[in-house]
Amino acid sequence: MRLKAFLLRHDIRSTGRANWSPAHLRWLSEVVCPTPAQQMVFQEYVQTVTAQTERRGRLELALHEQVQTWRLAPVVEALQALRGVQFTVAVTTVAALGDLTRFENPRQLMHYLGLTPSEYSSGGRRQPGSITKTGNTHARRALVEGAWAYRYPAKVSRHLQLRLEKLPKVIQAISWKAQVRLCKRYRQLMAKGKNANQVVVAIARALSAFMWAMAQQVTVPPKA
């Protein structure tokens, strides 16, 4: 974020997508700032981003290796059929919540995640408030992060298609149903003038229900 802010302040803009792809990193290596002091600060920011990117890569590789022997690995694999739920989001959610089938219904899961609205009662009237934020913070944050993907129209990207090809048809069907419903829901709520952050929380809440539905379709080995 600091590197992006630095570039914005000095009106240094990339013509490509600033997603820290190899092409974007190559572009950063060619940036020349107006003064030596600015160049030094810029290089420090770039080195920090590079180090953090490499660290994340090492951690993700280690996680992939660990998940292969985990009894809940089939659930992690299935959840990645959902748009916005790549490996890190999927494994964070399952690690934080455990076997999703332990919840009797999606509503229980939503409540455990703290994604259900609180209520205020006064004079016999009930008024919904902000979400309760009870339960596991890590899982809730991961779900909200994944929910931002549904602000775009429903579409199966190349990366998502590669994940879907390995999974049963029933999981693929739930994935597409989630896309159609959640992308439409996002547009509807935004059209009503809702705050974008509130809309994404609502999408995350609905996304957890689709995760629960997928978990019902996955066979998990019993505990040893």
Side-chain angles (χ1 to χ4, degrees), residues 159-178:
H159 294 294
L160 180 56
Q161 181 59 38
L162 290 173
R163 302 202 301 268
L164 287 170
E165 289 173 356
K166 308 173 186 176
L167 299 169
K169 295 296 183 182
V170 64
I171 298 297
Q172 295 183 32
I174 296 174
S175 170
W176 181 243
K177 183 178 180 180

Side-chain angles (χ1 to χ4, degrees), residues 45-202:
Y45 283 147
V46 170
Q47 289 176 16
T48 300
V49 170
T50 302
Q52 291 300 320
T53 302
E54 292 175 349
R55 178 174 177 268
R56 185 181 66 182
R58 292 194 300 270
L59 291 173
E60 287 182 350
L61 180 60
L63 276 175
H64 275 284
E65 294 174 350
Q66 293 295 319
V67 167
Q68 290 177 8
T69 59
W70 192 20
R71 60 180 289 270
L72 295 177
V75 182
V76 174
E77 192 78 13
L79 295 187
Q80 292 178 72
L82 291 164
R83 183 177 183 174
V85 185
Q86 297 185 14
F87 176 77
T88 304
V89 175
V91 75
T92 299
T93 302
V94 178
L97 303 178
D99 190 348
L100 299 184
T101 60
R102 69 190 179 92
F103 299 98
E104 294 184 3
N105 53 61
R107 188 71 181 177
Q108 281 190 359
L109 175 57
M110 296 174 191
H111 183 71
Y112 184 84
L113 286 165
L115 288 170
T116 52
S118 57
E119 286 189 353
Y120 298 95
S121 299
S122 177
R125 296 178 57 188
R126 290 184 177 182
Q127 182 178 354
S130 59
I131 59 173
T132 60
K133 293 187 179 181
T134 58
N136 192 282
T137 304
H138 297 296
R140 184 170 62 252
R141 185 182 295 119
L143 276 177
V144 171
E145 179 181 339
W148 280 104
Y150 294 91
R151 67 189 186 275
Y152 302 111
K155 176 186 176 182
V156 177
S157 66
R158 184 175 67 87
H159 294 294
L160 180 56
Q161 181 59 38
L162 290 173
R163 302 202 301 268
L164 287 170
E165 289 173 356
K166 308 173 186 176
L167 299 169
K169 295 296 183 182
V170 64
I171 298 297
Q172 295 183 32
I174 296 174
S175 170
W176 181 243
K177 183 178 180 180
Q179 275 222 58
V180 172
R181 184 175 297 180
L182 299 185
C183 292
K184 180 180 179 180
R185 183 62 174 160
Y186 182 92
R187 293 194 302 272
Q188 289 175 335
L189 292 174
M190 289 298 293
K192 290 181 179 179
K194 299 289 186 181
N195 178 274
N197 290 326
Q198 292 177 326
V199 172
V200 169
V201 169

